[in-house]
Amino acid sequence: MKNVGAAQEEQTTGERSTRNRVARSILDHGPSTAADLAERLGLTQAAVRRHLDHLVAENIVEPREQRVYGARTRGRPAKVFALTDCGRDAFDQAYDQIAADALRWIAQSAGGGEMGDAAVTAFARARVAQQADRYRAAVDAAEPAQRTQALAKALSEDGYAATTRSASAGAGAREPAGEQLCQHHCPVAHIAEEFPQLCEAEAEVFSHLLGTHVQRLATIAHGDGVCTTYIPRHQQVSSAVDINTAVNTTTAVHNASASTAGRNPA
């Protein structure tokens, strides 16, 4: 027969394991309601709320009002729970202090100011272009209507926990206006708070890969629960355009602009 201490320890371990499952589900799927979590994890809503109360008390998750894109429905938005910075730190992430220090060094070595910003931008574009090389084949192999989903799958394989969903065109619309590419995890979120060029370069590459203009609606780095990119629904062209060429061209233009900043016209 188990003694009382062993039984309590086993119960505590089981509770912690379930709370970790709740937090992981929020990481993988983004801000979630108690009902969403209960359905995904096979738990009762009462049990989920109890675990959420503990996670809120530990500063792992925080309650928020649900953000609604497009036409708003009647009624009060459901409360959702999102990971805090502390909660994200509990999971393995690819950023560290050395990376932030390196970007500051790049900016300072280039002279700071606009020249420093241009140098960081060039680095961000080169970094994301390397990632895009792994995504291009998957996107090009997909049917035009499936390319956003193909990109989401490729991003998920790199740890971004990406999903897609239809974006409403408003009341009375027959078809969705487009799609939203949602990244529920960002390995460089803390660094991107200081260096938004990382987010901007990523959006540029998404545009090149999908062959269409895209628009960032939200980012984890700016305090949102999920990075959300809007992709209009229309015939997407092939992503055969070489991303490295596009990145190099854009960087050259950016650098040229920065080098002439502040000069008087001839």
Side-chain angles (χ1 to χ4, degrees):
M1 184 175 179
K2 295 180 180 179
N3 59 45
V4 174
Q8 289 178 338
E9 182 179 355
E10 183 177 313
Q11 181 179 5
T12 300
T13 301
E15 293 280 302
R16 173 56 59 187
S17 175
T18 303
R19 284 174 204 161
N20 287 342
R21 289 175 59 210
V22 171
R24 180 72 204 194
S25 184
I26 295 174
L27 174 69
D28 290 341
H29 298 275
S32 306
T33 65
D36 292 334
L37 291 163
E39 182 177 354
R40 288 199 297 262
L41 300 174
L43 301 171
T44 65
Q45 289 192 40
V48 167
R49 289 193 181 95
R50 179 166 54 82
H51 290 301
L52 287 170
D53 286 342
H54 282 283
L55 291 170
V56 169
E58 295 171 354
N59 194 32
I60 300 298
V61 304
E62 61 183 359
R64 297 179 179 178
E65 285 192 4
Q66 189 171 27
R67 295 188 65 171
V68 178
Y69 300 104
R72 222 180 241 282
T73 57
R74 291 184 179 180
R76 185 177 180 179
K79 181 185 294 185
V80 297
F81 293 85
L83 286 181
T84 62
D85 286 342
C86 180
R88 291 184 184 281
D89 288 345
F91 295 93
D92 292 334
Q93 303 217 34
Y95 63 82
D96 54 28
Q97 188 61 43
I98 293 177
D101 289 343
L103 287 177
R104 294 189 196 103
W105 183 88
I106 289 173
Q108 292 169 2
S109 296
E114 291 186 2
M115 294 299 294
D117 289 343
V120 172
T121 296
F123 167 82
R125 287 172 173 154
R127 172 186 174 273
V128 179
Q130 289 179 341
Q131 289 180 296
D133 286 339
R134 301 196 301 274
Y135 306 154
R136 186 188 294 108
V139 173
D140 282 349
E143 294 295 326
Q146 301 298 319
R147 285 179 177 164
T148 304
Q149 292 90 327
L151 177 57
K153 182 178 179 181
L155 286 166
S156 293
E157 291 173 354
D158 269 359
Y160 288 88
T163 60
T164 63
R165 64 188 179 195
S166 295
S168 173
R174 294 184 178 181
E175 295 183 359
E179 297 174 284
Q180 288 179 4
L181 175 64
C182 303
Q183 297 159 263
H184 303 287
H185 181 58
C186 177
V188 295
H190 283 191
I191 299 175
E193 290 179 22
E194 182 176 352
F195 299 101
Q197 295 97 322
L198 296 172
C199 299
E200 294 163 4
E202 185 180 68
E204 288 176 4
V205 165
F206 288 171
S207 178
H208 286 303
L209 283 170
L210 298 173
T212 184
H213 171 72
V214 304
Q215 180 183 0
R216 267 278 159 77
L217 301 178
T219 62
I220 293 172
H222 291 162
D224 299 294
V226 58
C227 295
T228 306
T229 305
Y230 172 73
I231 300 157
R233 185 181 296 278
H234 61 72
Q235 186 71 20
Q236 295 175 350
V237 300
S238 171
S239 63
V241 175
D242 183 77
I243 291 177
N244 287 306
T245 299
V247 168
N248 292 336
T249 301
T250 307
T251 300
V253 172
H254 191 112
N255 289 342
S257 176
S259 66
T260 57
R263 296 182 184 176
N264 292 326

